[in-house]
Amino acid sequence: MIRRSAVSLLLGSSALWGASSFHQAHAASASDAQQIQALQREMQEMRREMSGQISVLRQRLVRAEARNTPAANAAQARRVAASKGEPLPESYARDIHIGGDSGMGGGLGSSLGSAMQKADLGTPPSDRGVSSSWASFRAATEKEEAVHMGGMIVGFPGGRPTISSEDGMYAMSIGLAFHEDIGGFMGMSPRAGEVKGDFAGLTENARRLRIPISFRYKNWIANITPDFGASSSDSAATLYEANLNYAGFHNTVITAGYFQPRVTEEDSESSNEFEMMERPAITDIVRNIAAGDARMSVGALHYGKRWWIAGYLTGQSYGARGGSNAAAVSSSGVTSGVTDSQSGGTFRIAGRPYMSKDIDVHVGVSGIAAFKVAEKNGVRSANFAEGPEVDLTTTKFLNETVGNVGSVWSAGPELGFRWKRLVLKGEYYHIGVTRGDNYAAGASSRGSVGFQGFYGAANYTIFGKARSYNIKEGAFAAPGVDHAFDPAHGHWGALEVSARYSVADLNSGLGTATAIRGGQQTVWSAGLNWYPNRHFRFMLDYNHIIVSKDSFLYDAVGRDGNSVAGRIQAAF
């Protein structure tokens, strides 16, 4: 076609030259001028046709060269292994990203099916919006797990459905974090003088129903994630995050808006990757001082292969000034509700002083503070409350409100160790409460307050890709699925077993005039987690709960009991 067009172009050019010479030498007739114009139009048409053909040839050449790249060779190896029912090579098991042309042939349907098949390998997608840089996103599009159609790319980066422009400049993704819990309590009968509390023998709860939605323009990303769970009882709907991120600096993400600031190792993990169904009680109490879900935040994180650091200035949580907390002035002039919002901050630094193929050593420190607690109904107070590490009850054994509060702070170390398939980790935190200048409440509201808590956990991956270190979170990630559930070929996904010992102590100054008896809770836990693929997980947890007495009727003389709970998880 190109050779024929070139000959036609040559003949056309000769004819045009001859016609032009004749016109200069002689007075051309009107018919000669029409012939010249026709030839000129024909030449323009041939040029457009040749330009289109050259563009097609260039695209074919680029695709042919792409098939010979290491990424394409890895993709071919995965396809061959999958077609034969063989295990994936270990070096390819984590190589799951959005990519360029699939290079498979067979049309759109087979390409899309291939992209979806590859997307079910790896670790679970995050429960949050995306925050990767534009450069990282464009690099990912050079791989093969995406489909090109109509100038758009449809793929599954990180297992999350994503639509983007060809250059990755514009993109939108939508995810899912679905956690449905079912279970109950045993041996929680009240003792003499106590009320039963909310400890059903069998109940259920929509723990998390998040839908992360992300919009990208180059290095700017907007995330909004509604949550239709987020509670220990069904029917609670709220906002998990709504923030703006800039990821244009190397390995750095700057964030402003409603966000979950990362503090403590456990809180830095996605809930889709927890070893147990819930965090240890002490880390939940600490993070809620000035962080937690949907906290107004401004700050940044930065990471490398060996270290991770982040800091945020924080304000109120989403909804803290709404509903019954909204400020109002009665007819008598009395002001109620929140009249002065909280201000605080978080800081966390973590590192890996030693790492190898089989070993990771993690050390870190987290700090958090409410520089000024919110004023509500003319009072500044802080509430510390936590359930028995399973969200199937509205009763909180640990529940203490401290009045006349000036500020609240907490700090503590993080330690972690991985050896092959075994992961050990633990954290300790001290909580300090300084009093304000309101002494009208009496001596009991003048002394400083100190709480504390810690946990130790062990995890072992029985089969599947063992837990590894996630440098973007400065924490340990969930097991990876080398090959999705397929009993016909002997593939069963990934399976892990976990155990934890957790203590949270909200007693302070017992035996003194400023004593606070918030109770002490100890929980022994064991769990089993099965991942048929990266998108689904089934969890089974057992907790043995021991609580000392506090000031509430459901725990007047101390309680102990057990819980058994399961979770169905879907993550995209």
Side-chain angles (χ1 to χ4, degrees):
M1 176 66 73
I2 296 177
R3 184 177 299 173
R4 185 182 66 185
S5 300
V7 171
S8 301
L9 178 61
L10 179 60
L11 292 175
S13 300
S14 299
L16 179 61
W17 179 83
S20 300
S21 300
F22 177 79
H23 177 74
Q24 293 174 356
H26 305 279
S29 64
S31 60
D32 292 335
Q34 293 176 354
Q35 291 178 0
I36 293 173
Q37 291 176 358
L39 287 171
Q40 290 175 337
R41 287 193 297 270
E42 184 178 354
M43 288 176 60
Q44 292 175 352
E45 182 65 27
M46 286 190 293
R47 287 173 182 169
R48 284 194 294 268
E49 182 181 354
M50 291 179 63
S51 177
Q53 293 170 354
I54 291 172
S55 177
V56 171
L57 289 173
R58 284 177 177 173
Q59 292 178 8
R60 291 177 179 174
L61 180 61
V62 169
R63 292 179 181 178
E65 291 175 348
R67 293 190 182 100
N68 294 322
T69 63
N73 294 334
Q76 178 63 20
R78 286 196 297 270
R79 289 195 292 270
V80 171
S83 65
K84 295 181 179 180
E86 298 174 352
L88 281 175
E90 183 174 347
S91 59
Y92 301 151
R94 297 278 182 141
D95 190 23
I96 306 299
H97 301 282
I98 188 171
D101 184 77
S102 64
M104 291 183 59
L108 176 62
S110 61
S111 300
L112 184 59
S114 172
M116 294 179 68
Q117 183 180 15
K118 296 181 182 69
D120 68 1
L121 305 179
T123 59
S126 174
D127 61 354
R128 309 156 182 163
V130 299
S131 59
S132 60
S133 69
W134 185 34
S136 297
F137 188 78
R138 286 186 299 168
T141 62
E142 295 177 3
K143 297 187 180 293
E144 50 77 34
E145 284 145 19
V147 177
H148 292 244
M149 55 182 182
M152 303 294 292
I153 300 176
V154 179
F156 304 87
R160 179 162 294 175
T162 302
I163 300 175
S164 71
S165 58
E166 286 279 359
D167 56 6
M169 183 180 298
Y170 291 91
M172 184 186 76
S173 65
I174 182 168
L176 175 68
F178 171 92
H179 298 174
E180 183 71 37
D181 297 351
I182 183 169
F185 296 87
M186 301 171 292
M188 301 293 286
S189 300
R191 299 174 182 175
E194 293 181 334
V195 297
K196 181 179 180 180
D198 178 21
F199 299 108
L202 180 63
T203 187
E204 57 284 324
N205 178 42
R207 180 63 179 89
R208 294 180 183 89
L209 296 176
R210 296 177 186 168
I211 304 177
I213 305 172
S214 301
F215 302 87
R216 171 188 295 276
Y217 173 70
K218 295 185 177 180
N219 286 308
W220 298 89
I221 307 108
N223 292 319
I224 180 169
T225 304
D227 192 345
F228 301 96
S231 176
S232 57
S233 58
D234 288 331
S235 77
T238 185
L239 181 73
Y240 173 69
E241 66 176 350
N243 50 66
L244 177 66
N245 303 268
Y246 180 74
F249 301 114
H250 181 63
N251 289 354
T252 302
V253 182
I254 303 171
T255 302
Y258 286 113
F259 180 64
Q260 180 198 334
R262 314 300 189 239
V263 62
T264 80
E265 191 278 343
E266 191 78 16
D267 191 45
S268 297
E269 297 178 8
S270 163
S271 62
N272 290 333
E273 300 181 316
F274 286 171
E275 293 179 355
M276 310 296 294
M277 288 171 58
E278 299 296 336
R279 301 178 184 88
I282 187 60
T283 60
D284 242 4
I285 294 171
V286 166
R287 80 188 194 108
N288 286 321
I289 292 174
D293 301 349
R295 176 77 67 169
M296 178 56 68
S297 310
V298 177
L301 67 84
H302 181 73
Y303 63 89
K305 288 185 177 180
R306 288 186 174 269
W307 54 279
W308 188 100
I309 186 171
Y312 300 89
L313 293 174
T314 66
Q316 66 189 24
S317 295
Y318 173 78
R321 294 176 62 89
S324 61
N325 292 325
V329 180
S330 66
S331 58
S332 59
V334 177
T335 302
S336 63
V338 175
T339 55
D340 190 10
S341 296
Q342 175 177 298
S343 61
T346 70
F347 177 78
R348 178 176 182 252
I349 183 169
R352 284 195 295 171
Y354 182 82
M355 64 179 189
S356 67
K357 178 182 177 181
D358 293 330
I359 298 175
D360 280 307
V361 177
H362 166 91
V363 295
V365 61
S366 287
I368 186 170
F371 311 135
K372 177 189 67 176
V373 300
E375 181 178 352
K376 181 180 179 182
N377 300 328
V379 176
R380 296 187 187 273
S381 62
N383 177 254
F384 303 88
E386 188 61 30
E389 298 185 11
V390 56
D391 265 350
L392 291 173
T393 173
T394 57
T395 299
K396 298 183 183 297
F397 283 128
L398 300 177
N399 196 338
E400 184 63 35
T401 299
V402 180
N404 188 28
V405 174
S407 63
V408 183
W409 63 272
S410 180
E414 314 168 4
L415 294 174
F417 175 77
R418 180 190 67 86
W419 179 66
K420 295 185 177 179
R421 292 178 171 271
L422 176 67
V423 175
L424 305 174
K425 65 178 184 178
E427 301 179 74
Y428 167 86
Y429 291 98
H430 179 82
I431 301 171
V433 181
T434 59
R435 299 290 191 168
D437 55 5
N438 180 12
Y439 299 111
S444 62
S445 297
R446 299 182 184 180
S448 60
V449 178
F451 303 137
Q452 64 180 339
F454 65 91
Y455 76 91
N459 174 275
Y460 185 81
T461 303
I462 299 173
F463 56 80
K465 187 73 173 180
R467 283 183 175 258
S468 61
Y469 198 79
N470 186 337
I471 63 172
K472 294 184 178 181
E473 294 180 346
F476 291 97
V481 176
D482 290 336
H483 9 265
F485 179 67
D486 184 4
H489 294 93
H491 300 159
W492 300 93
L495 182 70
E496 64 177 347
V497 61
S498 301
R500 187 171 72 200
Y501 176 70
S502 167
V503 176
D505 186 359
L506 296 188
N507 293 325
S508 177
L510 296 182
T512 68
T514 58
I516 290 179
R517 186 179 290 278
Q520 176 178 299
Q521 176 177 279
T522 300
V523 181
W524 295 84
S525 303
L528 191 67
N529 304 325
W530 176 51
Y531 306 75
N533 51 59
R534 75 182 309 181
H535 295 293
F536 295 91
R537 176 167 69 161
F538 299 89
M539 307 180 71
L540 180 64
D541 280 11
Y542 166 78
N543 289 349
H544 178 61
I545 307 153
I546 306 169
V547 187
S548 68
K549 68 178 182 178
D550 57 28
S551 57
F552 289 86
L553 288 178
Y554 52 75
D555 191 27
V557 295
R559 295 281 287 271
D560 63 82
N562 307 279
S563 69
V564 176
R567 170 173 293 172
I568 301 171
Q569 172 179 302
F572 287 88

